[in-house]
Amino acid sequence: MPQTIAISPLADHRAILAIPFGLVKTLLEAAKTPTWVAERSGKVLFSNGSARQCFGQAAPGDLIQRNLFNDMLKVDPNDIGQKIDAGEHELEMEVVREEKKTRARVQWISDPGCLIVQLETEPVETPVPDAATQLTVQELLQEREITYRNLLAAYLKLQEVNRQKTVFLASAAHELKTPLAVIKGYYDLMLTGSMGRLTDKQRDVLEESKDSCERLVRLVSMFLNYSALESGKLVLQLRENDLRDCLDEVAKRWSEAFQRKGVKLETSFDPSIPTFRFDYQKVQQAAANLLDNSLKHTPSGGSVTLKAGPHFWERRVAAVAPVEERRRFRLPRPNSVEVSVADTGPGIAAEYHQEIFEDFVRVDRNTSGMGLGLAITKRLIQAHRGKIWVESELKAGSRFTFLLPMDQG
C-alpha cells in the first residue's frame, strides 16, 4: 500500500530543501497544511493544493507571480523584511481570512534565500464570556473605580491636612521671630557693658543664654524656610554675583561659633571662579546649613574646611558619545562651581547617605536640631539646577559637596 507523507507545520524546512526539488514539490503537495514558497518580497514561487484551495485557485500555476502578502494574506511585506533583518527568522502572525482570524507561520531560509509560509486551517476563536462571568467582571471594574475614588479622596484630605500643618508652623515661627530678635538684642546690649558692669558669673550666664537664643532663632528661621519650600513659594533672585564673596561672608559670620567650640574653620576659594548668576542669600543659607551641621558633629580640637573651585560637570544625555570622543571634545572651560564642606567628625554610615537629605531625619539623636537643615539645603541647590551629595565613612569624617551650574539662564 502506498504511504501517505504528512508534513508537520512545525517541521524544520532546511532538511526538506536539501532534497531534490522535484521530490520537495511532491512532499509539499501532499501536505494538508496550506503552504507557500515565496521570495522575501512576497512573490509566490510555489504553492501546494491546500494553499490554492484557500483562495479558490485550482491549477498549480494560478498563484505564481502573485504577491502572497499583499494579495492574499493582507500583511505588509516591509514589516516582515524588517523583522528578518533584525534576526527573527521564524515569525507567527495573525491574518484575517473570510472575516475570521487565523495564524500564519513564516520561516526565512537564508540559503537559498526564500520564505516558507504555512497557514493554519482552523480559525482562532475568541472565547465569549457567559453572562455570569461578564457580570462579575463588570462588578470588579465598578469596585475598582470606587476604591480608586476613595483613595484619591483620602489622599487629597491628607494633602490638605499637611498644608494646614505647614501654614500653622509658619505662623507660629513668624510670631516667635520678632520677640526672639528683641531678646537677642538685649543680650548683646548687656554683654557690651552698656547697662552696667558684669561679673564673670553674670557674663557666663548671659553668653550661654545668648547661644540658646541664637539656636532658637535658627530653628525659627528653619521653620520659615521649610514652610516656604513646602508651599511652593520659593523664588530665586538670580543676579550676577561673586561666589567667593558670598562664601567668605558666611565663613566670617560663623567664625565666632567655631572659636567658642574650639573647632578650626579653614577656607579655600579658587581665585579663578568667575562671577555668574545665582541667588546670593539662598546659596549663603545652603553653605551655612552645611557649616552648622559640621560644627554640631565635630568635636573640640577638630577642623572644618570650606572649599570652592571651578568644575566641569559632565551631565548625562540620551545619546552618550564614546569616552575617547568625550575627552577629545571636552569643553575648554568649567561649566559649574564645586563647593564642599569637610569635617573631622565621627562620619556617617553608608546606609544613611541618602536618608539624611530627607525631612526630619537625624542620624545622631544626641545632637540638637529638627533634621531639616540638609533637606532644605538639598532643595535650595536643586532649585539652582544643581546637585548635592555626601562622601563619608565611620570614624573618617564627612565631606558634603554641591555643584552650581554657571548657566542659570
Side-chain angles (χ1 to χ4, degrees):
M1 292 180 62
Q3 293 182 345
T4 302
I5 301 176
I7 299 178
S8 168
L10 301 178
D12 189 350
H13 296 89
R14 294 180 181 82
I16 295 175
L17 292 175
I19 306 173
F21 185 67
L23 183 55
V24 169
K25 292 175 64 176
T26 303
L27 292 172
L28 292 177
E29 192 70 38
K32 295 182 179 180
T33 302
T35 306
W36 293 268
V37 178
E39 294 181 354
R40 175 169 164 168
S41 61
K43 178 183 175 183
V44 177
L45 300 176
F46 171 80
S47 61
N48 66 358
S50 299
R52 294 191 297 274
Q53 289 177 6
C54 285
F55 297 95
Q57 307 292 331
D62 287 347
L63 298 181
I64 301 298
Q65 305 301 322
R66 294 188 62 183
N67 192 291
L68 173 64
F69 301 124
N70 291 332
D71 300 340
M72 290 172 274
L73 300 184
K74 306 300 182 182
V75 296
D76 189 355
N78 293 327
D79 292 343
I80 297 176
Q82 290 176 1
K83 292 180 179 179
I84 291 174
D85 292 337
E88 298 183 43
H89 291 175
E90 292 190 10
L91 310 173
E92 284 193 4
M93 63 185 66
E94 281 191 356
V95 297
V96 178
R97 187 172 63 89
E98 298 177 355
E99 299 182 355
K100 294 182 179 180
K101 289 184 179 181
T102 185
R103 289 191 182 91
R105 183 172 180 270
V106 181
Q107 185 172 11
W108 168 252
I109 308 299
S110 57
D111 185 13
C114 64
L115 292 168
I116 296 181
V117 182
Q118 292 181 308
L119 190 67
E120 291 186 1
T121 55
E122 295 296 328
V124 177
E125 296 183 359
T126 304
V128 179
D130 55 19
T133 304
Q134 194 168 4
L135 182 62
T136 303
V137 171
Q138 188 175 4
E139 290 175 349
L140 288 174
L141 291 175
Q142 291 177 349
E143 185 178 350
R144 187 181 69 174
E145 181 69 19
I146 293 172
T147 303
Y148 169 76
R149 291 176 182 240
N150 292 338
L151 287 174
L152 180 61
Y155 171 76
L156 293 176
K157 186 176 180 180
L158 287 174
Q159 287 286 89
E160 178 61 21
V161 171
N162 185 62
R163 188 192 66 81
Q164 292 177 358
K165 178 203 69 175
T166 303
V167 171
F168 170 76
L169 289 176
S171 300
H174 187 74
E175 292 297 326
L176 288 171
K177 188 175 181 180
T178 301
L180 285 174
V182 174
I183 294 172
K184 182 177 179 298
Y186 280 130
Y187 280 134
D188 291 334
L189 186 63
M190 287 187 291
L191 286 171
T192 59
S194 301
M195 301 184 69
R197 187 176 179 180
L198 300 173
T199 64
D200 292 341
K201 182 66 175 178
Q202 290 172 330
R203 183 172 294 277
D204 291 341
V205 171
L206 288 176
E207 287 283 1
E208 187 174 348
S209 300
K210 180 187 174 184
D211 290 344
S212 299
C213 182
E214 288 179 345
R215 186 163 63 251
L216 191 56
V217 168
R218 288 197 296 273
L219 291 177
V220 169
S221 178
M222 201 83 73
F223 265 128
L224 291 174
N225 292 327
Y226 176 74
S227 62
L229 291 169
E230 280 292 291
S231 59
K233 296 180 180 179
L234 175 67
V235 178
L236 295 181
Q237 303 295 329
L238 298 176
R239 295 185 178 86
E240 199 80 14
N241 292 308
D242 191 331
L243 185 65
R244 291 173 297 172
D245 293 342
C246 174
L247 297 178
D248 185 61
E249 188 176 316
V250 175
K252 289 178 179 177
R253 192 183 305 163
W254 279 83
S255 59
E256 183 180 350
F258 276 83
Q259 289 175 2
R260 286 200 300 268
K261 190 175 180 181
V263 177
K264 184 179 180 181
L265 176 61
E266 299 177 340
T267 59
S268 175
F269 308 134
D270 194 312
S272 65
I273 299 177
T275 59
F276 63 99
R277 289 169 59 82
F278 64 91
D279 190 314
Y280 197 90
Q281 298 297 331
K282 299 296 188 296
V283 172
Q284 273 197 343
Q285 183 182 350
N289 288 347
L290 293 181
L291 289 175
D292 182 26
N293 184 73
S294 294
L295 181 60
K296 287 178 184 176
H297 298 92
T298 303
S300 178
S303 64
V304 174
T305 304
L306 173 63
K307 298 178 66 174
H311 179 80
F312 178 80
W313 186 1
E314 190 174 9
R315 304 195 189 194
R316 294 182 179 178
V317 294
V320 181
V323 177
E324 296 78 7
E325 185 177 343
R326 295 203 305 270
R327 290 173 178 171
R328 190 183 311 121
F329 295 103
R330 179 166 289 183
L331 293 177
R333 62 182 181 83
N335 58 3
S336 64
V337 176
E338 181 183 86
V339 180
S340 65
V341 176
D343 60 56
T344 57
I348 305 170
E351 58 266 26
Y352 297 113
H353 285 188
Q354 297 295 328
E355 187 178 346
I356 57 175
F357 292 103
E358 297 177 3
D359 299 343
F360 303 105
V361 172
R362 285 191 301 154
V363 177
D364 187 358
R365 297 291 178 178
N366 296 323
T367 58
S368 61
M370 300 177 296
L372 285 176
L374 293 178
I376 291 175
T377 301
K378 180 180 179 179
R379 297 187 188 187
L380 293 175
I381 298 304
Q382 288 179 339
H384 283 82
R385 297 189 295 112
K387 70 173 183 177
I388 184 171
W389 69 94
V390 63
E391 300 167 274
S392 179
E393 294 181 6
L394 289 177
K395 301 180 180 180
S398 304
R399 183 175 185 265
F400 289 86
T401 307
F402 64 82
L403 295 178
L404 292 175
M406 296 183 188
D407 53 339
Q408 292 293 341

